[in-house]
Amino acid sequence: MKTIIAASSNAHKIKEIQAIMSKFRMQVVSRDEAGVPAFEIEEDGETFEENSLKKASEIMKITGQITIADDSGLMVDYLGGAPGVYSARFAGEECDDTKNNNKLLTLLKGLSPKEKTAKFVSVITLMFPDGTAIVARGECKGRIIDTPTGENGFGYDPLFVPDGYDKTFAQLSEDEKNAISHRAKALEKLEILLREREGFNEGNC
Amino acid sequence: MKTIIAASSNAHKIKEIQAIMSKFRMQVVSRDEAGVPAFEIEEDGETFEENSLKKASEIMKITGQITIADDSGLMVDYLGGAPGVYSARFAGEECDDTKNNNKLLTLLKGLSPKEKTAKFVSVITLMFPDGTAIVARGECKGRIIDTPTGENGFGYDPLFVPDGYDKTFAQLSEDEKNAISHRAKALEKLEILLREREGFNEGNC
């Protein structure tokens, strides 16, 4: 079992990452559990890639261990890709999921279902102690509905119906979501890239 | 007088670039004038930098001459930076300035002036025949107003009032806009970087 430090302090994200990484005999430990002092990493990049790399890099420098970071968000076509990297703070610095969801609904009010296409994006970075990194991007396409529905997940999950489904991410079980989510797809790509990285799998997978 | 090929086919942008570059004894020639066959460069980057580099690179490869490209757009804080790189096609592929402006006004309807802060961003790339490039970013902060005002400029200019002014970009004269615009600021930075680039100025500036 290999230990990986999660750069995220978002318990939901860590849970999803752990659920998938455990298949590869990797144990994900949060930055708090790893003893990293609490501090805010400013996510000021213009892309998910920038933010993901920044988070992995800062935590890896502190711990000296393999670190995994996720930067993710919702891109709504009608809004030219917004909220994108601003997903978590769309309704301002003092916002929460409800405020963010309400703001999104206000902006999309009156549009037809066809006009409300969107995708969730996740960029996962696995950074090694030597500073090299594997970066994998996953996307999940779908659409935004008019009323928050479902109790699972987090963020914009109650408003997002993935293509091929008639339930929101928040109505799907954890296992169902982890089978199709943007984060799952990013982690699948990460696995492929990891297997290509010579030596990493020895005795692990 | 040095000739530079403009990667843009936007006459407004070329005019603004020429107005500023002429100070440095550089003549900007449009890609059409330079005999570049008409083709669409897909602006599919996630950042202005990506798109600007791509445009400069594609035209430089064809002409073999120094090429200047601009990628620019409007970033509205309330919209998490949208329309951003989608500024020109915010209202869809078949849109025009009026449709884009109307879409923006609809999204910002009912907000107070303080909530409608925004900035114009321009990223100018000057690419040399050896493939090296100088990339300079300029920003102009301001706010969005409720009614399109003014006849000059293009794009979102009739809706954008730069900080410190009570007129929109479209109400300012060319000279006034070129003194403070995002594109002017990017070109000023470009000039500094150019002067640092050994040998470029010989006999020109």
Side-chain angles (χ1 to χ4, degrees), chain A residues 69 131 163 184 192:
Chain A
D163 283 351
I192 295 167

Side-chain angles (χ1 to χ4, degrees), chain A residues 134-176:
Chain A
I134 294 174
V135 181
R137 184 187 182 108
E139 298 188 356
C140 181
K141 289 187 177 178
R143 63 189 172 85
I144 304 300
I145 57 164
D146 294 329
T147 313
T149 312
E151 302 296 329
N152 304 326
F154 62 104
Y156 299 93
D157 284 356
L159 290 179
F160 182 82
V161 174
D163 283 351
Y165 286 73
D166 56 5
K167 288 178 180 174
T168 68
F169 260 1
Q171 289 176 294
L172 297 180
S173 71
E174 267 183 48
D175 285 350
E176 283 172 317

Side-chain angles (χ1 to χ4, degrees), chain A residues 46-50 75 77-86 90 103 106-108 137 139, chain B residues 46-50 75 77-86 90 103 106-108 137 139:
Chain A
E46 285 188 36
T47 61
F48 298 114
E49 281 77 4
E50 266 183 80
M75 299 184 77
D77 295 323
Y78 180 79
L79 300 177
V85 290
Y86 299 90
F90 194 35
K103 177 168 176 179
T106 304
L107 289 170
L108 302 182
R137 184 187 182 108
E139 298 188 356
Chain B
E46 285 187 38
T47 60
F48 298 112
E49 280 77 5
E50 266 184 80
M75 299 185 77
D77 296 323
Y78 181 78
L79 300 176
V85 291
Y86 298 91
F90 194 36
K103 177 167 175 179
T106 303
L107 289 169
L108 302 182
R137 183 186 182 108
E139 297 188 358

Side-chain angles (χ1 to χ4, degrees), chain B residues 154-178:
Chain B
F154 62 103
Y156 299 93
D157 283 356
L159 290 178
F160 182 83
V161 174
D163 283 351
Y165 286 74
D166 55 5
K167 288 178 180 175
T168 67
F169 260 1
Q171 288 177 293
L172 297 180
S173 70
E174 268 184 48
D175 285 350
E176 284 173 316
K177 183 183 171 192
N178 287 341

Side-chain angles (χ1 to χ4, degrees), chain B residues 4-5 27 35 46 50 69 108 127 140 174 201:
Chain B
I4 297 176
I5 315 298
Q27 194 193 357
E46 285 187 38
E50 266 184 80
L108 302 182
M127 187 166 279
C140 181
E174 268 184 48
N201 292 316

Side-chain angles (χ1 to χ4, degrees), chain B residues 19-194:
Chain B
I20 291 163
M21 295 306 275
S22 61
K23 292 191 288 185
F24 311 119
R25 302 189 43 157
M26 294 183 196
Q27 194 193 357
V28 182
V29 171
S30 77
R31 52 188 274 192
D32 303 331
E33 288 171 316
V36 176
F39 75 105
E40 187 89 16
I41 299 174
E42 203 188 351
E43 301 181 15
D44 54 0
E46 285 187 38
T47 60
F48 298 112
E49 280 77 5
E50 266 184 80
N51 284 332
S52 183
L53 267 166
K54 185 178 181 186
K55 285 188 269 190
S57 171
E58 297 213 7
I59 299 300
M60 191 283 292
K61 279 181 198 155
I62 293 169
T63 63
Q65 293 186 63
I66 303 177
T67 299
I68 194 163
D70 161 89
D71 197 60
S72 51
L74 179 71
M75 299 185 77
V76 179
D77 296 323
Y78 181 78
L79 300 176
V85 291
Y86 298 91
S87 291
R89 56 185 191 283
F90 194 36
E93 291 299 329
E94 297 292 319
C95 64
D96 55 27
D97 287 349
T98 306
K99 285 183 189 163
N100 285 334
N101 281 337
N102 286 341
K103 177 167 175 179
L104 184 62
L105 287 176
T106 303
L107 289 169
L108 302 182
K109 207 173 177 177
L111 297 182
S112 70
K114 276 187 183 172
E115 290 175 297
K116 290 189 286 190
T117 52
K119 65 182 177 187
F120 266 118
V121 178
S122 162
V123 175
I124 300 267
T125 299
L126 194 69
M127 187 166 279
F128 297 87
D130 65 1
T132 60
I134 294 175
V135 181
R137 183 186 182 108
E139 297 188 358
C140 181
K141 291 188 176 176
R143 63 188 172 84
I144 304 300
I145 57 164
D146 293 330
T147 313
T149 311
E151 302 297 330
N152 304 325
F154 62 103
Y156 299 93
D157 283 356
L159 290 178
F160 182 83
V161 174
D163 283 351
Y165 286 74
D166 55 5
K167 288 178 180 175
T168 67
F169 260 1
Q171 288 177 293
L172 297 180
S173 70
E174 268 184 48
D175 285 350
E176 284 173 316
K177 183 183 171 192
N178 287 341
I180 61 162
S181 79
H182 49 307
R183 198 163 290 113
K185 285 178 188 163
L187 287 162
E188 280 163 24
K189 273 196 204 158
L190 186 75
E191 189 205 345
I192 295 167
L193 295 167
L194 255 177

Side-chain angles (χ1 to χ4, degrees), chain B residues 190-205:
Chain B
L190 186 75
E191 189 205 345
I192 295 167
L193 295 167
L194 255 177
R195 293 193 190 282
E196 287 170 5
R197 192 178 158 107
E198 200 179 19
F200 185 77
N201 292 316
E202 270 170 39
N204 283 293
C205 302

